[in-house]
C-alpha cells in the first residue's frame, strides 16, 4: 500500500546575536550538503540499488566534487548544488523544496530566484501589445489566472521563434517564489496542437505537463487549471466553473460509452472520486465501454481507486508488496503519522499496526506489505471493455492502478508510456539543518525489483496514440469501439 504523503516543518526560535550566528552556521551550504548526503545514504530505500559496486567510484567522485563546490557556495546558489547531487539517483520522488513559512525565509527565497529567466515586458506594454495585435492574436495570447486566484500569467508570441512559440511570464504572483516578469512557461504550437515545452512549479522545478486548451480554459495537469481573464467574451466568466487540477469528472459520451477523468489521486480527491463512482455506479455497470482518463495524474494514495477494482476484475489481481527502510528517521518522519484525513477508522488502526511492526524491526529493510492477491466473487458482465488513457505525466499511484488493470482481460491501455516513478514510494519529508529547506525521499521499495524495474521507463501502452491526434478521448471512443 502506498501511504499518503506527510510534511513536517520545524520552526527554530533564536534570539539576537546568538540567533544570527546559529542561523549562519545552520544554513551554510556545506553543512546542508553533508547532512543531505548522510540522510540519503542512511534512509533512502533505493540507495543500495542506485549505488552499486560498479558505479560506487563514480558516485564517490561525484559527491566529493560537489562537496568541494558546496564548501565555496553561498546561500543564493546552494539550492542548485543540492539539487544537482540529488539528480544522480534519477528518482522523481526525491527532491529538495523551499519553505516559505517566515518573513526571513521569504526574503531568502526571493534572493535565490532573483536570477531566474525574465522578460522585460511591463503590464502596460503587454496590454498595448494585445491592443495593437488584436486582429492577429492566437487564442493562447492574453492574461490567464490560476484556479486559486494567486497567479496571473501573460502569454505572448516569441517573435524570435517565428511566431510558433509562446512565452508565459508572471504579471502577478505570491511575490516570494514568483515575481512579475519571471518566465513560468513556454508553449509550442503545431497546426492546432499546443505542446508545453516546460512549466516551472512553485519551487522552479521544470515540468512538462500535457496542455489541454479549450477556449477560455487550459488544464496543465499538475501545473493547475488556468482561466483566461483578458481578452475574453463578455459571458465567459459567467460560465467559469472554479475547479482544482485534482477534481475528477464523469461524463456519458454516447449510448455505449462513459468516462471517468481522474487527474489526481491526492487524498483531497478521494471523497470526490468515491462519490462520483457511487453516484454513477449503475451507469458504469450498464455501459459496454468505460474510459478512465489518467492523463497528468502524478499519484497520491491507492485508497483513491479502490472502488474501481470490481469493474476491472476478471481474474485474481496480484499485487507485489513493498519493503520499508525501517530507520529511526523514516519511522519518525512518516510512519508515526497515522491520523490522516479522508480515511476510515479501520485504516487508521491498520497504520498503527504497521507502525508497531516497523518499530519491532528497526534498522532493517522490512517487508511490511507482503505480496497480495485480490480475489472477488466474480466479474461484472459490464463494462465489457475498459480503456485507460495515459501519458508521460502518469506516475506513482496512477502507475500502481495500471499494474493491477493490465491483468484484466477487459482492459486496454492507450496513449504514451507513463512517467516511471513507481519503484520507490512512500515519501518522507524531513528537516534539514537550515529550516529554509525540506528534503523528500522514498522510504519503501517494491518487491518487483530487481526483476521488473519501471523507474524512468514507465508502463508501455497497448496502443500508442499518434502525435498528430488532438482529441485522445475521441480516438479511443471511435477507433476501438466495442464490438
Amino acid at each position: 500500500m502506498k501511504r499518503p504523503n506527510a510534511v513536517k516543518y520545524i520552526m527554530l526560535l533564536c534570539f539576537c546575536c546568538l540567533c544570527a550566528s546559529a542561523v549562519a552556521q545552520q544554513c551554510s551550504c556545506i553543512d546542508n550538503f553533508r547532512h543531505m548526503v548522510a540522510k540519503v545514504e542512511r534512509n533512502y530505500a533505493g540507495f543500495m540499488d542506485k549505488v552499486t559496486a560498479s558505479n560506487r567510484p563514480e558516485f564517490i567522485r561525484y559527491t566529493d566534487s560537489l562537496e568541494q563546490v558546496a564548501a565555496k557556495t553561498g546561500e543564493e546558489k546552494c539550492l542548485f548544488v543540492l539539487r544537482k547531487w540529488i539528480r544522480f539517483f534519477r528518482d522523481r520522488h526525491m527532491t529538495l523544496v523551499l519553505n516559505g513559512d517566515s518573513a526571513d525565509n521569504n526574503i531568502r527565497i526571493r534572493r535565490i530566484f532573483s536570477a531566474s529567466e525574465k522578460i522585460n515586458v511591463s503590464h502596460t506594454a503587454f496590454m498595448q501589445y494585445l491592443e495593437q495585435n488584436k486582429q492577429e492574436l492566437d487564442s493562447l495570447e492574453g492574461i490567464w489566472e490560476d484556479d486559486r486566484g494567486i497567479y496571473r500569467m501573460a502569454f505572448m508570441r516569441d517573435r524570435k521563434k517565428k511566431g510558433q512559440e509562446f512565452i508565459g511570464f508572471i504579471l502577478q504572483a505570491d511575490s516570494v517564489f514568483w515575481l512579475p516578469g519571471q518566465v513560468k512557461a513556454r508553449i509550442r504550437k503545431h497546426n492546432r496542437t499546443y505542446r508545453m515545452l516546460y512549466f516551472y512549479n512553485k519551487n522552479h522545478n521544470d515540468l512538462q505537463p500535457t496542455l489541454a486548451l479549450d477556449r477560455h480554459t487550459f488544464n496543465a495537469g499538475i501545473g493547475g487549471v488556468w482561466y483566461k481573464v483578458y481578452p475574453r467574451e463578455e459571458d465567459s466568466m459567467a460560465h467559469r466553473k472554479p475547479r482544482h487540477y485534482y477534481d475528477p469528472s464523469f461524463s456519458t459520451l454516447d449510448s455505449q460509452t462513459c468516462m471517468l477523468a481522474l487527474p489526481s489521486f491526492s487524498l483531497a480527491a478521494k471523497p470526490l472520486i468515491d462519490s462520483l463512482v457511487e453516484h454513477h455506479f449503475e451507469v458504469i455497470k450498464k455501459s459496454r465501454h468505460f474510459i478512465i482518463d489518467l492523463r497528468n495524474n502524478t499519484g497520491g494514495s491507492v485508497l483513491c481507486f479502490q472502488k474501481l477494482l470490481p469493474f476491472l476484475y476478471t481474474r485474481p489481481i496480484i499485487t507485489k508488496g513493498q519493503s520499508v527502510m525501517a530507520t529511526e528517521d523514516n519511522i519518525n518522519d512518516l510512519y508515526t503519522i497515522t491520523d490522516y484525513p479522508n480515511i476510515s477508522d479501520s485504516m487508521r488502526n491498520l497504520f498503527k499496526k504497521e507502525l508497531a511492526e516497523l518499530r519491532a524491526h528497526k534498522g532493517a529493510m522490512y517487508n511490511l506489505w507482503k505480496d497480495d492477491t485480490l480475489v472477488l466473487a466474480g466479474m461484472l458482465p459490464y463494462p465489457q471493455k475498459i480503456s485507460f488513457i495515459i501519458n508521460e505525466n502518469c506516475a506513482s499511484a496512477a502507475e500502481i492502478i495500471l499494474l493491477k488493470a493490465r491483468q484484466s482481460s477487459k482492459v486496454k491501455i492507450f496513449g504514451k508510456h507513463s512517467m516511471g516513478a513507481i519503484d520507490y514510494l512512500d515519501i518522507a519529508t524531513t528537516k534539514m539543518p537550515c529550516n529554509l529547506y525540506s528534503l523528500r525521499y522514498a522510504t519503501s521499495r517494491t518487491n518487483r525489483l530487481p526483476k521488473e524495474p519501471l523507474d524512468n521507463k514507465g508502463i508501455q501502452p497497448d496502443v500508442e496514440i499518434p502525435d498528430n491526434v488532438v482529441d485522445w478521448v475521441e480516438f479511443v471512443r471511435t477507433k476501438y469501439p466495442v464490438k
Side-chain angles (χ1 to χ4, degrees):
M1 169 180 287
K2 185 179 187 302
R3 292 165 61 98
N5 189 14
V7 179
K8 288 185 177 180
Y9 293 103
I10 307 299
M11 299 300 294
L12 303 177
L13 301 179
C14 308
F15 298 90
C16 303
C17 296
L18 179 60
C19 166
S21 62
V23 170
Q25 181 182 14
Q26 291 287 319
C27 285
S28 72
C29 193
I30 188 63
D31 286 347
N32 283 273
F33 182 86
R34 288 171 176 165
H35 177 90
M36 175 184 65
V37 171
K39 196 86 171 180
V40 170
E41 288 182 344
R42 185 170 59 249
N43 300 293
Y44 171 46
F47 187 81
M48 297 302 292
D49 294 334
K50 305 280 186 171
V51 182
T52 63
S54 61
N55 72 354
R56 182 171 289 277
E58 175 193 353
F59 171 74
I60 292 173
R61 287 193 299 270
Y62 187 78
T63 301
D64 288 348
S65 65
L66 283 177
E67 184 176 19
Q68 294 175 33
V69 173
K72 304 173 185 177
T73 301
E75 185 175 275
E76 289 81 0
K77 302 295 182 181
C78 186
L79 172 70
F80 308 104
V81 176
L82 301 179
R83 283 180 175 174
K84 186 174 182 179
W85 183 80
I86 286 173
R87 284 199 292 272
F88 178 90
F89 298 95
R90 299 183 70 234
D91 188 333
R92 297 173 187 267
H93 281 135
M94 189 187 297
T95 186
L96 196 77
V97 298
L98 296 170
N99 300 321
D101 53 6
S102 70
D104 180 56
N105 277 359
N106 290 347
I107 292 171
R108 295 150 78 188
I109 291 169
R110 291 189 199 101
R111 201 158 49 223
I112 288 171
F113 294 132
S114 62
S116 295
E117 182 185 4
K118 296 185 181 71
I119 183 169
N120 188 26
V121 177
S122 67
H123 187 282
T124 300
F126 180 66
M127 296 300 289
Q128 291 175 346
Y129 166 84
L130 296 178
E131 179 61 28
Q132 292 169 1
N133 296 277
K134 59 184 178 181
Q135 301 303 322
E136 304 172 0
L137 291 177
D138 187 88
S139 58
L140 180 63
E141 292 185 279
I143 299 174
W144 297 79
E145 185 176 276
D146 76 314
D147 55 3
R148 297 171 298 166
I150 296 175
Y151 294 90
R152 281 204 169 192
M153 178 168 52
F155 271 105
M156 65 185 299
R157 289 184 188 273
D158 184 348
R159 300 297 183 182
K160 297 178 182 179
K161 301 290 184 178
K162 298 181 180 180
Q164 296 307 306
E165 286 191 13
F166 300 85
I167 303 172
F169 60 95
I170 293 295
L171 292 177
Q172 174 186 308
D174 54 18
S175 297
V176 178
F177 289 86
W178 287 95
L179 297 171
Q182 291 181 330
V183 175
K184 191 170 178 66
R186 184 179 286 273
I187 292 173
R188 178 177 294 154
K189 184 179 182 181
H190 179 68
N191 296 327
R192 293 182 299 130
T193 303
Y194 296 85
R195 179 176 179 81
M196 189 77 78
L197 299 181
Y198 59 76
F199 184 99
Y200 291 110
N201 69 3
K202 179 180 177 181
N203 284 277
H204 291 236
N205 284 311
D206 183 3
L207 309 172
Q208 283 92 33
T210 299
L211 172 64
L213 179 64
D214 180 19
R215 297 184 67 205
H216 301 287
T217 305
F218 80 74
N219 189 333
I222 53 178
V225 178
W226 295 73
Y227 300 96
K228 195 171 188 180
V229 296
Y230 187 86
R232 66 176 192 268
E233 298 172 3
E234 290 301 318
D235 64 343
S236 66
M237 294 300 285
H239 294 92
R240 168 174 165 174
K241 297 179 179 179
R243 53 170 299 193
H244 301 286
Y245 81 92
Y246 55 74
D247 287 347
S249 61
F250 183 88
S251 56
T252 300
L253 303 183
D254 58 42
S255 60
Q256 299 185 94
T257 311
C258 63
M259 184 179 77
L260 181 63
L262 300 173
S264 174
F265 285 143
S266 163
L267 270 180
K270 174 177 164 48
L272 303 175
I273 296 170
D274 289 350
S275 177
L276 276 179
V277 174
E278 290 169 1
H279 183 72
H280 297 285
F281 183 84
E282 291 300 323
V283 175
I284 299 171
K285 198 172 69 170
K286 294 175 182 177
S287 296
R288 291 193 173 192
H289 190 187
F290 184 24
I291 298 175
I292 300 175
D293 188 351
L294 288 182
R295 283 176 293 177
N296 298 322
N297 186 324
T298 56
S301 173
V302 298
L303 299 176
C304 292
F305 60 70
Q306 297 304 308
K307 289 186 178 296
L308 293 175
L309 298 182
F311 296 114
L312 308 178
Y313 188 86
T314 58
R315 58 178 177 265
I317 298 174
I318 300 172
T319 302
K320 287 292 185 179
Q322 290 169 233
S323 298
V324 174
M325 182 66 77
T327 62
E328 184 73 31
D329 288 342
N330 288 347
I331 292 172
N332 290 337
D333 287 333
L334 181 59
Y335 296 95
T336 54
I337 304 172
T338 59
D339 191 23
Y340 293 105
N342 301 329
I343 64 171
S344 64
D345 290 340
S346 62
M347 288 304 304
R348 289 191 180 91
N349 291 333
L350 176 60
F351 286 168
K352 291 176 182 178
K353 176 179 175 292
E354 293 170 351
L355 173 61
E357 286 186 59
L358 290 176
R359 283 176 170 161
H361 295 86
K362 192 180 297 182
M365 178 67 86
Y366 175 62
N367 189 190
L368 181 62
W369 300 297
K370 310 301 187 289
D371 293 358
D372 177 66
T373 301
L374 175 65
V375 179
L376 299 181
M379 63 177 283
L380 298 174
Y382 291 92
Q384 291 179 331
K385 174 183 174 183
I386 300 175
S387 300
F388 280 83
I389 304 178
I390 66 171
N391 61 11
E392 297 95 330
N393 292 317
C394 293
S396 197
E399 293 176 297
I400 291 176
I401 190 176
L402 292 174
L403 291 179
K404 296 176 185 291
R406 69 182 184 178
Q407 299 177 53
S408 169
S409 60
K410 289 184 176 184
V411 169
K412 195 177 286 289
I413 301 173
F414 297 82
K416 305 295 184 182
H417 68 80
S418 64
M419 181 183 292
I422 188 177
D423 292 346
Y424 307 96
L425 300 167
D426 300 300
I427 313 308
T429 300
T430 185
K431 64 182 180 180
M432 294 279 282
C434 180
N435 76 339
L436 180 63
Y437 309 114
S438 286
L439 175 66
R440 295 176 181 171
Y441 58 85
T443 63
S444 72
R445 175 186 187 271
T446 177
N447 293 345
R448 284 183 291 99
L449 297 176
K451 291 184 178 180
E452 190 184 3
L454 289 172
D455 268 14
N456 301 301
K457 295 189 336 185
I459 296 169
Q460 299 298 321
D462 299 305
V463 178
E464 184 169 342
I465 296 180
D467 291 337
N468 63 350
V469 173
V470 176
D471 191 335
W472 287 21
V473 173
E474 190 65 6
F475 176 88
V476 173
R477 187 185 73 86
T478 59
K479 296 294 183 182
Y480 294 89
V482 176
K483 296 181 180 179

